[in-house]
Amino acid sequence: GVLAGSDVRVRFTATDAGPASIVEAGVAGFRVVRTACSLVQRYCQSGAAGSVITATGSTSIAANDLVLHASTVPPQKSGMFFCSKARLSSPLGSGTRCAGNPARRLPLVSSGGGTTLDYALNLPTEAIAPVTAGELWNFQCWFRDGAQSDLSDALQVIFVP
């Protein structure tokens, strides 16, 4: 895919007769506001535990049913999801922090006897409120792994109305 901010050449052609007659025309400029094949996309390398972040529900602000999940975390451990509009690549604990600055932390959750951390976003009252349609947020999960801390991979989410 093409990253935001990347330069890309686009060629437009116009046919004024049959397939053998092609007229080329220049375009002074155009702007792509936002496009994505998927509204939710994983990226970044997870830490030593290999934790993977996923989401269920939709990215619809009106539906308000997006739930974050971080798998392969140790049982009986606390962790928290955090988010940012920016990306980053910086070592942190046993992993790589990929959600940038400024980061907003979501409430602490526990894996209990399982190996998954789950958090249901409540968009109207969340730390990231107000969320508007078209915004792109990056989510990641931090958790304890013994005496060390670790991170999941990251999840890019584009919110829709």
Side-chain angles (χ1 to χ4, degrees):
V2 178
L3 297 176
S6 297
D7 290 335
V8 178
R9 288 187 184 184
V10 178
R11 180 177 175 196
F12 294 94
T13 59
T15 304
D16 66 351
S21 176
I22 296 177
V23 176
E24 292 192 38
V27 175
F30 67 95
R31 181 174 165 213
V32 176
V33 176
R34 176 147 319 183
T35 182
C37 294
S38 173
L39 297 175
V40 178
Q41 181 179 8
R42 286 183 36 232
Y43 69 96
C44 188
Q45 181 67 38
S46 61
S51 180
V52 173
I53 188 171
T54 58
T56 55
S58 72
T59 66
S60 166
I61 296 167
N64 192 28
D65 63 353
L66 189 66
V67 180
L68 302 171
H69 311 278
S71 65
T72 320
V73 300
Q76 305 298 331
K77 295 293 179 183
S78 295
M80 74 173 128
F81 292 90
F82 61 98
C83 57
S84 174
K85 289 184 180 181
R87 286 187 177 189
L88 179 72
S89 182
S90 178
L92 179 65
S94 297
T96 302
R97 181 174 166 193
C98 301
N101 291 314
R104 298 188 183 168
R105 295 179 288 183
L106 302 174
L108 203 61
V109 292
S110 174
S111 61
T115 59
T116 302
L117 294 169
D118 301 299
Y119 184 76
L121 286 168
N122 185 6
L123 294 175
T125 62
E126 211 56 74
I128 63 175
V131 173
T132 58
E135 283 188 338
L136 183 151
W137 283 86
N138 299 285
F139 292 88
Q140 195 168 12
C141 186
W142 171 92
F143 56 93
R144 284 279 181 203
D145 188 4
Q148 292 286 326
S149 66
D150 204 353
L151 293 158
S152 67
D153 58 356
L155 193 68
Q156 170 186 289
V157 175
I158 299 173
F159 289 97
V160 297

